[in-house]
Amino acid sequence: MVSLGQLPIWASKPCIMGIDEAGRGPVLGPMVYGCLYCARSYQKILSTLQFADSKTLKEQKREELFEELKTNKSIGWAVDVIDPRDLSAKMLKKNKVNLNEISHNSAIGLVRKTLDLGVLLTEVYVDTVGDPEKYRVKLSEIFPAIKFVVAKKADSLYPVVSGASIVAKVTRDRALRDWVLDETAENMQRNFGSGYPGDPETKAWLDHHKHAVFGFPTLVRFSWGTCNAYSKDSVEVVWESDASEEDESNGRASKRQMKLTNIGFTGVKRKSEDIESSGKGRCKFFQARKLELLSQF
């Protein structure tokens, strides 16, 4: 979460907040949740600041509005940037966390951290994820002192959500523009388009940067169904563990195998002492993607 400046005096008076996201659908880059808050008495002025659903504005206009709100001492804002590796890791772990839950948790985190700053939030407007009423009830149970309004297309209905939409969109655009590719292959290039699955430039980039063994660069949300079409040529990899164990059925020592199939990772955990004694440790590829070896599913 990123917020600017010290807590202003107006934040101790009843305040409203808007919450929206950017980058929920793309197969590339982070998902960003943004919020904007101000005193409830500032609503009329807020409606004159030309905030609108960020998708309806050109990039230059979004950038201008974002710079203006950053210098406006009557407005506070914050973002939660969710790394593509975190998205995929949560969605593919044994106890899966779906995208709706990830989104809800991000919004809840923004409310909680803003309250922790000392801001007196009394009303929060949220662009819905899933059923609006169920989402509203969920938020109200967590924060009973706050009135929540959850609606479809809230970014086009409420200026405070429109402002949050601009915060989220500009933050994501800048994150993609400044993204540093961790991988060191010589043929890596940054012409990946918008990052949306239907973008021809994005599809061409995915096809060019797939790897038969290691999958995709860390910019890619490899849990997205979009990636399945590019993994059909992936190879099955079988590794032999250095450790031996007693075969329960016949008492003989046998080497275990760890298999990776279709970019899905299975196998057994090696004991820490085995790893340390081998001197090999874990490959940076797996560490960067927060991949774990599981002994059972």
Side-chain angles (χ1 to χ4, degrees):
M1 178 177 177
V2 177
S3 57
L4 302 179
Q6 296 180 340
L7 189 68
I9 296 176
W10 56 259
S12 61
K13 300 177 181 179
C15 293
I16 62 171
M17 171 187 274
I19 299 176
D20 197 14
E21 56 77 25
R24 178 178 169 85
V27 67
L28 300 181
M31 179 170 72
V32 178
Y33 258 78
C35 72
L36 183 144
Y37 54 92
C38 65
R40 198 164 58 188
S41 59
Y42 192 72
Q43 285 186 87
K44 288 186 179 179
I45 298 177
L46 189 69
S47 64
T48 68
L49 299 183
Q50 296 183 306
F51 292 154
D53 175 3
S54 63
K55 294 185 289 295
T56 67
L57 301 173
K58 292 184 178 180
E59 182 178 0
Q60 183 178 350
K61 183 62 176 178
R62 291 196 300 264
E63 290 279 350
E64 290 174 359
L65 289 171
F66 184 55
E67 292 302 318
E68 289 175 9
L69 71 85
K70 282 168 57 179
T71 60
N72 188 327
K73 294 183 180 180
S74 296
I75 293 175
W77 63 276
V79 294
D80 181 23
V81 181
I82 308 170
D83 189 276
R85 290 169 291 189
D86 289 333
L87 288 170
S88 293
K90 288 176 180 177
M91 295 176 72
L92 292 177
K93 65 188 295 188
K94 180 180 179 182
N95 298 318
K96 301 182 188 305
V97 183
N98 66 39
L99 192 59
N100 279 7
E101 188 174 354
I102 294 172
S103 299
H104 289 180
N105 290 341
S106 183
I108 290 167
L110 286 172
V111 173
R112 182 169 286 124
K113 290 177 181 178
T114 304
L115 289 172
D116 289 344
L117 288 174
V119 179
L120 181 58
L121 290 179
T122 58
E123 298 176 23
V124 176
Y125 297 80
V126 185
D127 195 48
T128 194
V129 173
D131 182 87
E133 180 59 17
K134 290 182 179 178
Y135 193 7
R136 186 196 66 78
V137 170
K138 179 178 181 178
L139 293 169
S140 296
E141 289 177 347
I142 298 172
F143 305 104
I146 298 175
K147 174 188 174 183
F148 284 93
V149 176
V150 182
K152 296 179 179 179
K153 298 183 178 181
D155 48 2
S156 62
L157 298 174
Y158 307 104
V160 72
V161 183
S162 301
S165 174
I166 291 168
V167 168
K169 177 62 175 170
V170 173
T171 300
R172 174 177 153 80
D173 287 347
R174 291 181 178 182
L176 274 178
R177 195 160 57 234
D178 300 333
W179 191 272
V180 177
L181 293 165
D182 294 333
E183 295 73 22
T184 57
E186 293 182 1
N187 62 347
M188 295 289 291
Q189 46 94 352
R190 295 180 51 83
N191 301 322
F192 41 68
S194 66
Y196 281 87
D199 185 335
E201 198 169 4
T202 298
K203 290 193 287 187
W205 189 89
L206 285 169
D207 189 53
H208 180 69
H209 289 81
K210 65 184 179 182
H211 191 284
V213 176
F214 296 117
F216 295 97
T218 53
L219 177 66
V220 180
R221 304 176 188 177
F222 53 86
S223 61
W224 256 232
T226 306
C227 295
N228 292 340
Y230 299 94
S231 62
K232 60 184 178 181
D233 298 325
S234 61
V235 299
E236 181 180 277
V237 180
V238 178
W239 290 347
E240 283 194 342
S241 169
D242 291 336
S244 295
E245 66 176 5
E246 290 296 322
D247 189 302
E248 294 182 0
S249 61
N250 56 26
R252 293 179 303 170
S254 61
K255 284 192 172 182
R256 293 173 294 179
Q257 289 185 329
M258 293 178 283
K259 179 184 292 186
L260 293 83
T261 307
N262 295 329
I263 319 296
F265 300 86
T266 65
V268 290
K269 284 187 178 180
R270 293 177 60 190
K271 295 181 180 179
S272 58
E273 58 266 30
D274 291 334
I275 297 175
E276 292 172 358
S277 63
S278 71
K280 296 177 181 178
R282 295 195 70 207
C283 175
K284 181 181 177 181
F285 173 87
F286 299 105
Q287 291 177 339
R289 288 160 175 76
K290 300 182 180 179
L291 301 175
E292 299 179 1
L293 299 177
L294 302 178
S295 58
Q296 57 184 350
F297 291 86

